[in-house]
Amino acid sequence: MTPFAYAKARDVRDALALHTAHPGARFIAGGTNLLDLMKENLTRPSTLIDISNLPLTDVEAEADGGLRIGALVSNADLAYHPLIERRYPLLAQAILAGASPQLRNMASTGGNLLQRTRCYYFYDAGVPCNKRRPGSGCPAKDGLNRIHAILGASDQCIAVHPSDMCVALAALEAKVQVAGNRGERCIDFADFHRLPGDRPDLDNTLADDELITAVTLPARGFAEHFAYLKVRDRASYAFALVSVAAALDLDVDGRILEARIALGGVAHKPWRDPEAERSLRGATCDEEAFGRAAEALLRGARGHAHNHFKIELARRAIVRALSQAAAAEGNV
Ligand SMILES: Cc1cc2nc3c(=O)[nH]c(=O)nc-3n(C[C@H](O)[C@H](O)[C@H](O)COP(=O)(O)OP(=O)(O)OC[C@H]3O[C@@H](n4cnc5c(N)ncnc54)[C@H](O)[C@@H]3O)c2cc1C
């Protein structure tokens, strides 16, 4: 590990000032991803600005019926928060499908959004990687690509975004609140993470000097009909090969008023397709309708040597998650 300086920020303004004063600095929250990257010499911050003391640890109901989640709320506290369990159980389910209890105690809401891909080649400093060093190449394309993208990839990068929490946040249409030296702004979740294109080194649209202060949720939590289905190699402590966050709003006759479907493990960002969701409006909850939505969502999916199986896996996972959501199987 390369030597680095350390500073503890008192509040948001102090954190931003410290960041400006120390070129090459990085914020550290729970450290569960950043420290691993530093130990492998994949990232070498000049200074770690510890934000763990910032007053961003509350989950608060908002006047518009939504919820504001401070960026430093731990994944564990968030998943078991009474307002999340009652109003946004899809989010609780997705968080609890990730990592381990110990990691969820440390991991923060903001850090979870910014965790980096689990592509083997990205974590191996001995091989080229366009995400680490733009223009150096992508060994995953012709290498071991079992866990890689089937949607939205580019010639430069086929890595996937690893978070579970973000898949639920995408389906719930969360917003990311950020503060920077130029002021505060709010980013729609769909615009927060990005596809690799010719800049796979950029995972998201956060500026280098910006701090995530909160994630906000709209009032609608789909607490009646939801499912988070994660398909992985082990039953726990493994990243998703494919995951599906499904949320349905049904009328009294069981017809779909609104559907949300987000996929994890398949692209450089949580994957949604408004057309697939629209296709379910007015439909009855059956395998045929869910299968049609799955086909629409996976339109354009393309496998690589070792991950063609993900296309069929995703199709089946979408149908199953929607069926579970319709049957309210998660509401136990
Ligand atoms: C073994 C293992 C298994 C895991 N399994 C899963 C899994 O199955 N599913 C899953 O979703 N996740 C999984 N994770 C990832 C884990 O959830 C993330 O590492 C964690 O959420 C990151 O949060 P953190 O607070 O520790 O971030 P840190 O490591 O502190 O920071 C991560 C990045 O975010 C930046 N950052 C942090 N907070 C802010 C902020 N407020 N504003 C601006 N920048 C910020 C840091 O500078 C850094 O770049 C796993 C991790 C490990 C180590």
Side-chain angles (χ1 to χ4, degrees), residues 112-270:
N112 192 302
L113 266 58
L114 297 173
Q115 62 175 295
R116 305 221 64 191
T117 182
R118 294 282 156 173
C119 171
Y120 328 113
Y121 300 99
F122 174 75
Y123 277 86
D124 182 350
V127 301
C129 169
N130 286 330
K131 189 174 263 307
R132 253 188 294 110
R133 200 148 35 85
S136 61
C138 175
K141 278 197 305 179
D142 300 313
L144 291 173
N145 45 37
R146 185 168 182 276
I147 64 170
H148 288 76
I150 52 171
L151 286 160
S154 74
D155 276 351
Q156 308 232 358
C157 182
I158 61 171
V160 300
H161 184 72
S163 167
D164 289 293
M165 186 173 95
C166 291
V167 185
L169 290 176
L172 292 169
E173 297 192 341
K175 291 180 192 290
V176 186
Q177 311 294 334
V178 311
N181 290 321
R182 289 168 305 282
E184 298 182 356
R185 65 185 177 117
C186 168
I187 308 170
D188 285 345
F189 209 79
D191 299 328
F192 185 76
H193 296 103
R194 57 184 296 287
L195 293 177
D198 57 4
R199 289 299 307 274
D201 51 318
L202 300 178
D203 292 343
N204 53 64
T205 53
L206 194 69
D208 187 45
D209 65 342
E210 282 180 322
L211 183 79
I212 299 176
T213 52
V215 170
T216 48
L217 293 172
R220 195 175 207 184
F222 294 91
E224 298 291 318
H225 295 280
F226 66 92
Y228 186 72
L229 178 64
K230 178 174 179 178
V231 186
R232 47 187 154 171
D233 283 327
R234 287 190 306 268
S236 76
Y237 205 43
F239 289 89
L241 285 167
V242 168
S243 68
V244 186
L248 297 172
D249 198 2
L250 307 182
D251 70 13
V252 284
D253 300 320
R255 282 186 187 277
I256 298 169
L257 294 168
E258 182 160 356
R260 303 268 180 86
I261 319 164
L263 304 182
V266 298
H268 202 254
K269 63 185 284 188

Side-chain angles (χ1 to χ4, degrees), residues 81-111:
H81 194 285
L83 286 173
I84 298 294
E85 284 183 324
R86 184 159 44 84
R87 292 178 46 196
Y88 306 93
L90 172 65
L91 179 56
Q93 214 172 61
I95 294 170
L96 294 176
S100 65
Q102 293 90 340
L103 282 159
R104 293 194 296 266
N105 282 338
M106 284 305 292
S108 66
T109 300

